[in-house]
Amino acid sequence: MLNKNFDNYVLPTYGRQNVSFTEGKNAILMDSEGNEYIDFAAGIAVCSVGHGNERLTKAICDQVSKVIHVSNLYYIEPQGECAKKIVEMSGYDMKCFFGNSGAEANEGAIKIARKYGEVDGTPKRYKIITLEHSFHGRTITALKATGQESMHNYFGPFPDGFVYAKNIDEIESLIDDHTVAVMIELVQGEGGVQPLDRAKVQALAAMLKSRDILLMVDEVQTGIYRTGEFLASNLYGIEPDVITLAKGLGGGVPIGVVMTSKKNIFAPGDHGSTFGGNYLSTAAANEVLNILDELKQSGELDHILIYFEEALNTFAAKHPAVFLEHVGFGMMRGLRVVDADTLAKIINAGREAGVLVLKAGRNTLRFLPPLTITKDEINQGFSRLENAMKRL
Ligand SMILES: *Cc1c(COP(=O)(O)O)cnc(C)c1O
């Protein structure tokens, strides 16, 4: 019954689980049959301040009762405020451009790199190096930037100029006279919760700076306190040239940002977006940033991150034959599962037991809970996951 409209009218691009949700409160979701779930997924790292957040709801309602949208041909006050907050919270001397999604933010980053590589009188630098197992989005160009060949079936021809490094060590050897940028996730999300080595990232950043090659960090998933700091770039102690954000920023309202230290790279007409940075999305983002900034400053965020980590360790330790390794930072965590089949069973049994968890890569059980999750919700979630393990 639930599926009829989907079967008849929605293109089948997702393998959907047979459940639909009607309301939520922080990390708890209710389905259409009245069952309750602990949400360890938060969309996919989107619902950073939980479901039904009263402050976010009020900020959105207050804004939309006044004005939802005007075009970017006018000054949109909350957009300016949002850019200021993001820049100040990041600690980087940058300017922002607003779009509506992660892929779009990365498109903006790629356009910045392409324009940066265009200097009068010299051969254009245009090549962008990305990593294998990366994920940068679904538009044709962001998909080409994504270092997973299997996702490139059917959709070519693609824009030229993307080069894939097997790992961070291989990047330098792939640089040539046409290389303008390197784009990386500091913790690969879709690729399987795979953090890069901090010292290697710092060495890479220094090497790229010395060769005038842009370091572009895709923080669509890692950004907005997901790893415990405002940006994973802060955690890694680097100063990228370009950073992209999206998932957690709007608390569920679509928004994407590309920010860069190359503040004069674009002139009017070089780039744009109809919806990007409108009243609705930036009013939402401003309140999300207020809420999370307070959570961080009060010490509560750091406290709950540690609590979650310990709960996850305790859970994993009970099943040493199933979970091989614990990976990730902050509220971006994974357990490597012995095989993909067992992982699929855990996700399904988890849902039946009332807890929502995700898959990443081939065999990683992924946890991306709301950053506002409480201890009770964490305890409840792991106790249900424990029940699910008994049913495997
Ligand atoms: C989710 C994701 C994207 C794509 O974001 P969309 O909003 O789906 O376009 C890009 N990069 C990373 C690292 C992501 O996790």
mmCIF file with all atom_site columns, all heavy atoms in Angstrom, residues 331-352:
data_model
loop_
_atom_site.group_PDB
_atom_site.id
_atom_site.type_symbol
_atom_site.label_atom_id
_atom_site.label_alt_id
_atom_site.label_comp_id
_atom_site.label_asym_id
_atom_site.label_entity_id
_atom_site.label_seq_id
_atom_site.pdbx_PDB_ins_code
_atom_site.Cartn_x
_atom_site.Cartn_y
_atom_site.Cartn_z
_atom_site.occupancy
_atom_site.B_iso_or_equiv
_atom_site.pdbx_formal_charge
_atom_site.auth_seq_id
_atom_site.auth_comp_id
_atom_site.auth_asym_id
_atom_site.auth_atom_id
_atom_site.pdbx_PDB_model_num
ATOM 1   N N   . MET A 1 331 ? 30.909 11.962  15.548 1.00 0.00 ? 331 MET A N   1
ATOM 2   C CA  . MET A 1 331 ? 29.634 11.288  15.260 1.00 0.00 ? 331 MET A CA  1
ATOM 3   C C   . MET A 1 331 ? 29.623 10.756  13.834 1.00 0.00 ? 331 MET A C   1
ATOM 4   O O   . MET A 1 331 ? 28.572 10.666  13.197 1.00 0.00 ? 331 MET A O   1
ATOM 5   C CB  . MET A 1 331 ? 28.466 12.257  15.463 1.00 0.00 ? 331 MET A CB  1
ATOM 6   C CG  . MET A 1 331 ? 28.197 12.591  16.904 1.00 0.00 ? 331 MET A CG  1
ATOM 7   S SD  . MET A 1 331 ? 27.539 11.179  17.832 1.00 0.00 ? 331 MET A SD  1
ATOM 8   C CE  . MET A 1 331 ? 26.968 12.056  19.306 1.00 0.00 ? 331 MET A CE  1
ATOM 9   N N   . MET A 1 332 ? 30.804 10.405  13.339 1.00 0.00 ? 332 MET A N   1
ATOM 10  C CA  . MET A 1 332 ? 30.945 9.788   12.011 1.00 0.00 ? 332 MET A CA  1
ATOM 11  C C   . MET A 1 332 ? 31.753 8.525   12.213 1.00 0.00 ? 332 MET A C   1
ATOM 12  O O   . MET A 1 332 ? 32.984 8.569   12.248 1.00 0.00 ? 332 MET A O   1
ATOM 13  C CB  . MET A 1 332 ? 31.669 10.762  11.084 1.00 0.00 ? 332 MET A CB  1
ATOM 14  C CG  . MET A 1 332 ? 31.817 10.262  9.659  1.00 0.00 ? 332 MET A CG  1
ATOM 15  S SD  . MET A 1 332 ? 32.473 11.578  8.622  1.00 0.00 ? 332 MET A SD  1
ATOM 16  C CE  . MET A 1 332 ? 32.425 10.737  7.034  1.00 0.00 ? 332 MET A CE  1
ATOM 17  N N   . ARG A 1 333 ? 31.047 7.415   12.394 1.00 0.00 ? 333 ARG A N   1
ATOM 18  C CA  . ARG A 1 333 ? 31.727 6.208   12.856 1.00 0.00 ? 333 ARG A CA  1
ATOM 19  C C   . ARG A 1 333 ? 31.306 4.995   12.052 1.00 0.00 ? 333 ARG A C   1
ATOM 20  O O   . ARG A 1 333 ? 30.198 4.934   11.532 1.00 0.00 ? 333 ARG A O   1
ATOM 21  C CB  . ARG A 1 333 ? 31.403 5.967   14.328 1.00 0.00 ? 333 ARG A CB  1
ATOM 22  C CG  . ARG A 1 333 ? 31.828 7.141   15.180 1.00 0.00 ? 333 ARG A CG  1
ATOM 23  C CD  . ARG A 1 333 ? 32.500 6.666   16.422 1.00 0.00 ? 333 ARG A CD  1
ATOM 24  N NE  . ARG A 1 333 ? 33.082 7.806   17.085 1.00 0.00 ? 333 ARG A NE  1
ATOM 25  C CZ  . ARG A 1 333 ? 34.342 7.864   17.468 1.00 0.00 ? 333 ARG A CZ  1
ATOM 26  N NH1 . ARG A 1 333 ? 35.153 6.846   17.265 1.00 0.00 ? 333 ARG A NH1 1
ATOM 27  N NH2 . ARG A 1 333 ? 34.808 8.927   18.063 1.00 0.00 ? 333 ARG A NH2 1
ATOM 28  N N   . GLY A 1 334 ? 32.209 4.027   12.016 1.00 0.00 ? 334 GLY A N   1
ATOM 29  C CA  . GLY A 1 334 ? 31.894 2.797   11.315 1.00 0.00 ? 334 GLY A CA  1
ATOM 30  C C   . GLY A 1 334 ? 32.452 1.593   12.037 1.00 0.00 ? 334 GLY A C   1
ATOM 31  O O   . GLY A 1 334 ? 33.435 1.695   12.778 1.00 0.00 ? 334 GLY A O   1
ATOM 32  N N   . LEU A 1 335 ? 31.790 0.462   11.831 1.00 0.00 ? 335 LEU A N   1
ATOM 33  C CA  . LEU A 1 335 ? 32.334 -0.827  12.253 1.00 0.00 ? 335 LEU A CA  1
ATOM 34  C C   . LEU A 1 335 ? 32.501 -1.666  10.995 1.00 0.00 ? 335 LEU A C   1
ATOM 35  O O   . LEU A 1 335 ? 31.541 -1.839  10.238 1.00 0.00 ? 335 LEU A O   1
ATOM 36  C CB  . LEU A 1 335 ? 31.387 -1.542  13.226 1.00 0.00 ? 335 LEU A CB  1
ATOM 37  C CG  . LEU A 1 335 ? 31.138 -0.876  14.580 1.00 0.00 ? 335 LEU A CG  1
ATOM 38  C CD1 . LEU A 1 335 ? 30.104 -1.686  15.369 1.00 0.00 ? 335 LEU A CD1 1
ATOM 39  C CD2 . LEU A 1 335 ? 32.436 -0.743  15.382 1.00 0.00 ? 335 LEU A CD2 1
ATOM 40  N N   . ARG A 1 336 ? 33.727 -2.174  10.782 1.00 0.00 ? 336 ARG A N   1
ATOM 41  C CA  . ARG A 1 336 ? 33.936 -3.068  9.645  1.00 0.00 ? 336 ARG A CA  1
ATOM 42  C C   . ARG A 1 336 ? 33.332 -4.425  9.990  1.00 0.00 ? 336 ARG A C   1
ATOM 43  O O   . ARG A 1 336 ? 33.672 -5.026  11.011 1.00 0.00 ? 336 ARG A O   1
ATOM 44  C CB  . ARG A 1 336 ? 35.428 -3.244  9.381  1.00 0.00 ? 336 ARG A CB  1
ATOM 45  C CG  . ARG A 1 336 ? 36.119 -1.955  9.026  1.00 0.00 ? 336 ARG A CG  1
ATOM 46  C CD  . ARG A 1 336 ? 36.253 -1.737  7.547  1.00 0.00 ? 336 ARG A CD  1
ATOM 47  N NE  . ARG A 1 336 ? 37.142 -0.598  7.334  1.00 0.00 ? 336 ARG A NE  1
ATOM 48  C CZ  . ARG A 1 336 ? 36.728 0.658   7.171  1.00 0.00 ? 336 ARG A CZ  1
ATOM 49  N NH1 . ARG A 1 336 ? 35.444 0.956   7.181  1.00 0.00 ? 336 ARG A NH1 1
ATOM 50  N NH2 . ARG A 1 336 ? 37.598 1.623   7.000  1.00 0.00 ? 336 ARG A NH2 1
ATOM 51  N N   . VAL A 1 337 ? 32.435 -4.865  9.129  1.00 0.00 ? 337 VAL A N   1
ATOM 52  C CA  . VAL A 1 337 ? 31.714 -6.116  9.374  1.00 0.00 ? 337 VAL A CA  1
ATOM 53  C C   . VAL A 1 337 ? 32.387 -7.234  8.585  1.00 0.00 ? 337 VAL A C   1
ATOM 54  O O   . VAL A 1 337 ? 32.933 -7.002  7.505  1.00 0.00 ? 337 VAL A O   1
ATOM 55  C CB  . VAL A 1 337 ? 30.226 -5.956  8.959  1.00 0.00 ? 337 VAL A CB  1
ATOM 56  C CG1 . VAL A 1 337 ? 29.450 -7.244  9.180  1.00 0.00 ? 337 VAL A CG1 1
ATOM 57  C CG2 . VAL A 1 337 ? 29.595 -4.812  9.737  1.00 0.00 ? 337 VAL A CG2 1
ATOM 58  N N   . VAL A 1 338 ? 32.344 -8.414  9.126  1.00 0.00 ? 338 VAL A N   1
ATOM 59  C CA  . VAL A 1 338 ? 33.077 -9.552  8.574  1.00 0.00 ? 338 VAL A CA  1
ATOM 60  C C   . VAL A 1 338 ? 32.750 -9.796  7.096  1.00 0.00 ? 338 VAL A C   1
ATOM 61  O O   . VAL A 1 338 ? 33.631 -10.120 6.316  1.00 0.00 ? 338 VAL A O   1
ATOM 62  C CB  . VAL A 1 338 ? 32.868 -10.802 9.462  1.00 0.00 ? 338 VAL A CB  1
ATOM 63  C CG1 . VAL A 1 338 ? 31.406 -11.239 9.478  1.00 0.00 ? 338 VAL A CG1 1
ATOM 64  C CG2 . VAL A 1 338 ? 33.789 -11.930 9.069  1.00 0.00 ? 338 VAL A CG2 1
ATOM 65  N N   . ASP A 1 339 ? 31.496 -9.608  6.695  1.00 0.00 ? 339 ASP A N   1
ATOM 66  C CA  . ASP A 1 339 ? 31.176 -9.675  5.261  1.00 0.00 ? 339 ASP A CA  1
ATOM 67  C C   . ASP A 1 339 ? 29.913 -8.865  4.963  1.00 0.00 ? 339 ASP A C   1
ATOM 68  O O   . ASP A 1 339 ? 29.151 -8.511  5.875  1.00 0.00 ? 339 ASP A O   1
ATOM 69  C CB  . ASP A 1 339 ? 31.031 -11.132 4.783  1.00 0.00 ? 339 ASP A CB  1
ATOM 70  C CG  . ASP A 1 339 ? 29.943 -11.867 5.535  1.00 0.00 ? 339 ASP A CG  1
ATOM 71  O OD1 . ASP A 1 339 ? 28.763 -11.489 5.388  1.00 0.00 ? 339 ASP A OD1 1
ATOM 72  O OD2 . ASP A 1 339 ? 30.277 -12.810 6.294  1.00 0.00 ? 339 ASP A OD2 1
ATOM 73  N N   . ALA A 1 340 ? 29.705 -8.602  3.670  1.00 0.00 ? 340 ALA A N   1
ATOM 74  C CA  . ALA A 1 340 ? 28.617 -7.707  3.244  1.00 0.00 ? 340 ALA A CA  1
ATOM 75  C C   . ALA A 1 340 ? 27.246 -8.306  3.538  1.00 0.00 ? 340 ALA A C   1
ATOM 76  O O   . ALA A 1 340 ? 26.284 -7.578  3.813  1.00 0.00 ? 340 ALA A O   1
ATOM 77  C CB  . ALA A 1 340 ? 28.760 -7.400  1.750  1.00 0.00 ? 340 ALA A CB  1
ATOM 78  N N   . ASP A 1 341 ? 27.175 -9.622  3.482  1.00 0.00 ? 341 ASP A N   1
ATOM 79  C CA  . ASP A 1 341 ? 25.917 -10.303 3.745  1.00 0.00 ? 341 ASP A CA  1
ATOM 80  C C   . ASP A 1 341 ? 25.459 -10.102 5.196  1.00 0.00 ? 341 ASP A C   1
ATOM 81  O O   . ASP A 1 341 ? 24.294 -9.791  5.469  1.00 0.00 ? 341 ASP A O   1
ATOM 82  C CB  . ASP A 1 341 ? 26.160 -11.797 3.469  1.00 0.00 ? 341 ASP A CB  1
ATOM 83  C CG  . ASP A 1 341 ? 24.894 -12.468 3.008  1.00 0.00 ? 341 ASP A CG  1
ATOM 84  O OD1 . ASP A 1 341 ? 24.208 -11.845 2.173  1.00 0.00 ? 341 ASP A OD1 1
ATOM 85  O OD2 . ASP A 1 341 ? 24.611 -13.577 3.517  1.00 0.00 ? 341 ASP A OD2 1
ATOM 86  N N   . THR A 1 342 ? 26.395 -10.288 6.102  1.00 0.00 ? 342 THR A N   1
ATOM 87  C CA  . THR A 1 342 ? 26.097 -10.084 7.529  1.00 0.00 ? 342 THR A CA  1
ATOM 88  C C   . THR A 1 342 ? 25.691 -8.632  7.775  1.00 0.00 ? 342 THR A C   1
ATOM 89  O O   . THR A 1 342 ? 24.759 -8.352  8.538  1.00 0.00 ? 342 THR A O   1
ATOM 90  C CB  . THR A 1 342 ? 27.326 -10.459 8.382  1.00 0.00 ? 342 THR A CB  1
ATOM 91  O OG1 . THR A 1 342 ? 27.756 -11.765 8.011  1.00 0.00 ? 342 THR A OG1 1
ATOM 92  C CG2 . THR A 1 342 ? 27.019 -10.406 9.867  1.00 0.00 ? 342 THR A CG2 1
ATOM 93  N N   . LEU A 1 343 ? 26.374 -7.702  7.103  1.00 0.00 ? 343 LEU A N   1
ATOM 94  C CA  . LEU A 1 343 ? 26.047 -6.284  7.256  1.00 0.00 ? 343 LEU A CA  1
ATOM 95  C C   . LEU A 1 343 ? 24.588 -6.014  6.859  1.00 0.00 ? 343 LEU A C   1
ATOM 96  O O   . LEU A 1 343 ? 23.850 -5.334  7.585  1.00 0.00 ? 343 LEU A O   1
ATOM 97  C CB  . LEU A 1 343 ? 27.010 -5.435  6.412  1.00 0.00 ? 343 LEU A CB  1
ATOM 98  C CG  . LEU A 1 343 ? 26.680 -3.944  6.294  1.00 0.00 ? 343 LEU A CG  1
ATOM 99  C CD1 . LEU A 1 343 ? 26.623 -3.292  7.662  1.00 0.00 ? 343 LEU A CD1 1
ATOM 100 C CD2 . LEU A 1 343 ? 27.711 -3.240  5.414  1.00 0.00 ? 343 LEU A CD2 1
ATOM 101 N N   . ALA A 1 344 ? 24.182 -6.552  5.711  1.00 0.00 ? 344 ALA A N   1
ATOM 102 C CA  . ALA A 1 344 ? 22.798 -6.347  5.255  1.00 0.00 ? 344 ALA A CA  1
ATOM 103 C C   . ALA A 1 344 ? 21.815 -6.901  6.291  1.00 0.00 ? 344 ALA A C   1
ATOM 104 O O   . ALA A 1 344 ? 20.779 -6.284  6.582  1.00 0.00 ? 344 ALA A O   1
ATOM 105 C CB  . ALA A 1 344 ? 22.591 -7.012  3.897  1.00 0.00 ? 344 ALA A CB  1
ATOM 106 N N   . LYS A 1 345 ? 22.156 -8.046  6.862  1.00 0.00 ? 345 LYS A N   1
ATOM 107 C CA  . LYS A 1 345 ? 21.275 -8.651  7.881  1.00 0.00 ? 345 LYS A CA  1
ATOM 108 C C   . LYS A 1 345 ? 21.189 -7.782  9.132  1.00 0.00 ? 345 LYS A C   1
ATOM 109 O O   . LYS A 1 345 ? 20.112 -7.653  9.729  1.00 0.00 ? 345 LYS A O   1
ATOM 110 C CB  . LYS A 1 345 ? 21.780 -10.046 8.258  1.00 0.00 ? 345 LYS A CB  1
ATOM 111 C CG  . LYS A 1 345 ? 21.483 -11.084 7.192  1.00 0.00 ? 345 LYS A CG  1
ATOM 112 C CD  . LYS A 1 345 ? 21.919 -12.467 7.648  1.00 0.00 ? 345 LYS A CD  1
ATOM 113 C CE  . LYS A 1 345 ? 21.778 -13.470 6.501  1.00 0.00 ? 345 LYS A CE  1
ATOM 114 N NZ  . LYS A 1 345 ? 22.860 -14.460 6.503  1.00 0.00 ? 345 LYS A NZ  1
ATOM 115 N N   . ILE A 1 346 ? 22.312 -7.199  9.520  1.00 0.00 ? 346 ILE A N   1
ATOM 116 C CA  . ILE A 1 346 ? 22.315 -6.355  10.730 1.00 0.00 ? 346 ILE A CA  1
ATOM 117 C C   . ILE A 1 346 ? 21.426 -5.128  10.513 1.00 0.00 ? 346 ILE A C   1
ATOM 118 O O   . ILE A 1 346 ? 20.639 -4.749  11.391 1.00 0.00 ? 346 ILE A O   1
ATOM 119 C CB  . ILE A 1 346 ? 23.753 -5.915  11.105 1.00 0.00 ? 346 ILE A CB  1
ATOM 120 C CG1 . ILE A 1 346 ? 24.596 -7.133  11.503 1.00 0.00 ? 346 ILE A CG1 1
ATOM 121 C CG2 . ILE A 1 346 ? 23.733 -4.881  12.232 1.00 0.00 ? 346 ILE A CG2 1
ATOM 122 C CD1 . ILE A 1 346 ? 26.077 -6.831  11.671 1.00 0.00 ? 346 ILE A CD1 1
ATOM 123 N N   . ILE A 1 347 ? 21.527 -4.524  9.326  1.00 0.00 ? 347 ILE A N   1
ATOM 124 C CA  . ILE A 1 347 ? 20.730 -3.317  9.050  1.00 0.00 ? 347 ILE A CA  1
ATOM 125 C C   . ILE A 1 347 ? 19.232 -3.652  9.092  1.00 0.00 ? 347 ILE A C   1
ATOM 126 O O   . ILE A 1 347 ? 18.442 -2.925  9.707  1.00 0.00 ? 347 ILE A O   1
ATOM 127 C CB  . ILE A 1 347 ? 21.141 -2.691  7.698  1.00 0.00 ? 347 ILE A CB  1
ATOM 128 C CG1 . ILE A 1 347 ? 22.573 -2.136  7.825  1.00 0.00 ? 347 ILE A CG1 1
ATOM 129 C CG2 . ILE A 1 347 ? 20.160 -1.593  7.268  1.00 0.00 ? 347 ILE A CG2 1
ATOM 130 C CD1 . ILE A 1 347 ? 23.188 -1.646  6.532  1.00 0.00 ? 347 ILE A CD1 1
ATOM 131 N N   . ASN A 1 348 ? 18.864 -4.764  8.490  1.00 0.00 ? 348 ASN A N   1
ATOM 132 C CA  . ASN A 1 348 ? 17.446 -5.160  8.486  1.00 0.00 ? 348 ASN A CA  1
ATOM 133 C C   . ASN A 1 348 ? 16.952 -5.562  9.871  1.00 0.00 ? 348 ASN A C   1
ATOM 134 O O   . ASN A 1 348 ? 15.886 -5.128  10.310 1.00 0.00 ? 348 ASN A O   1
ATOM 135 C CB  . ASN A 1 348 ? 17.216 -6.303  7.496  1.00 0.00 ? 348 ASN A CB  1
ATOM 136 C CG  . ASN A 1 348 ? 17.161 -5.770  6.070  1.00 0.00 ? 348 ASN A CG  1
ATOM 137 O OD1 . ASN A 1 348 ? 16.651 -4.677  5.825  1.00 0.00 ? 348 ASN A OD1 1
ATOM 138 N ND2 . ASN A 1 348 ? 17.715 -6.514  5.137  1.00 0.00 ? 348 ASN A ND2 1
ATOM 139 N N   . ALA A 1 349 ? 17.756 -6.365  10.556 1.00 0.00 ? 349 ALA A N   1
ATOM 140 C CA  . ALA A 1 349 ? 17.361 -6.791  11.905 1.00 0.00 ? 349 ALA A CA  1
ATOM 141 C C   . ALA A 1 349 ? 17.311 -5.584  12.837 1.00 0.00 ? 349 ALA A C   1
ATOM 142 O O   . ALA A 1 349 ? 16.458 -5.500  13.720 1.00 0.00 ? 349 ALA A O   1
ATOM 143 C CB  . ALA A 1 349 ? 18.335 -7.837  12.434 1.00 0.00 ? 349 ALA A CB  1
ATOM 144 N N   . GLY A 1 350 ? 18.203 -4.636  12.623 1.00 0.00 ? 350 GLY A N   1
ATOM 145 C CA  . GLY A 1 350 ? 18.216 -3.410  13.416 1.00 0.00 ? 350 GLY A CA  1
ATOM 146 C C   . GLY A 1 350 ? 16.909 -2.648  13.243 1.00 0.00 ? 350 GLY A C   1
ATOM 147 O O   . GLY A 1 350 ? 16.282 -2.241  14.222 1.00 0.00 ? 350 GLY A O   1
ATOM 148 N N   . ARG A 1 351 ? 16.508 -2.491  11.999 1.00 0.00 ? 351 ARG A N   1
ATOM 149 C CA  . ARG A 1 351 ? 15.263 -1.763  11.745 1.00 0.00 ? 351 ARG A CA  1
ATOM 150 C C   . ARG A 1 351 ? 14.084 -2.470  12.407 1.00 0.00 ? 351 ARG A C   1
ATOM 151 O O   . ARG A 1 351 ? 13.234 -1.842  13.020 1.00 0.00 ? 351 ARG A O   1
ATOM 152 C CB  . ARG A 1 351 ? 15.035 -1.623  10.242 1.00 0.00 ? 351 ARG A CB  1
ATOM 153 C CG  . ARG A 1 351 ? 13.881 -0.677  9.903  1.00 0.00 ? 351 ARG A CG  1
ATOM 154 C CD  . ARG A 1 351 ? 13.608 -0.622  8.418  1.00 0.00 ? 351 ARG A CD  1
ATOM 155 N NE  . ARG A 1 351 ? 13.225 -1.937  7.922  1.00 0.00 ? 351 ARG A NE  1
ATOM 156 C CZ  . ARG A 1 351 ? 14.002 -2.735  7.196  1.00 0.00 ? 351 ARG A CZ  1
ATOM 157 N NH1 . ARG A 1 351 ? 15.221 -2.363  6.850  1.00 0.00 ? 351 ARG A NH1 1
ATOM 158 N NH2 . ARG A 1 351 ? 13.568 -3.919  6.807  1.00 0.00 ? 351 ARG A NH2 1
ATOM 159 N N   . GLU A 1 352 ? 14.072 -3.809  12.302 1.00 0.00 ? 352 GLU A N   1
ATOM 160 C CA  . GLU A 1 352 ? 12.977 -4.558  12.927 1.00 0.00 ? 352 GLU A CA  1
ATOM 161 C C   . GLU A 1 352 ? 13.000 -4.419  14.451 1.00 0.00 ? 352 GLU A C   1
ATOM 162 O O   . GLU A 1 352 ? 11.957 -4.445  15.099 1.00 0.00 ? 352 GLU A O   1
ATOM 163 C CB  . GLU A 1 352 ? 13.044 -6.038  12.507 1.00 0.00 ? 352 GLU A CB  1
ATOM 164 C CG  . GLU A 1 352 ? 12.499 -6.242  11.099 1.00 0.00 ? 352 GLU A CG  1
ATOM 165 C CD  . GLU A 1 352 ? 12.981 -7.535  10.435 1.00 0.00 ? 352 GLU A CD  1
ATOM 166 O OE1 . GLU A 1 352 ? 13.457 -8.432  11.159 1.00 0.00 ? 352 GLU A OE1 1
ATOM 167 O OE2 . GLU A 1 352 ? 12.886 -7.612  9.200  1.00 0.00 ? 352 GLU A OE2 1
#
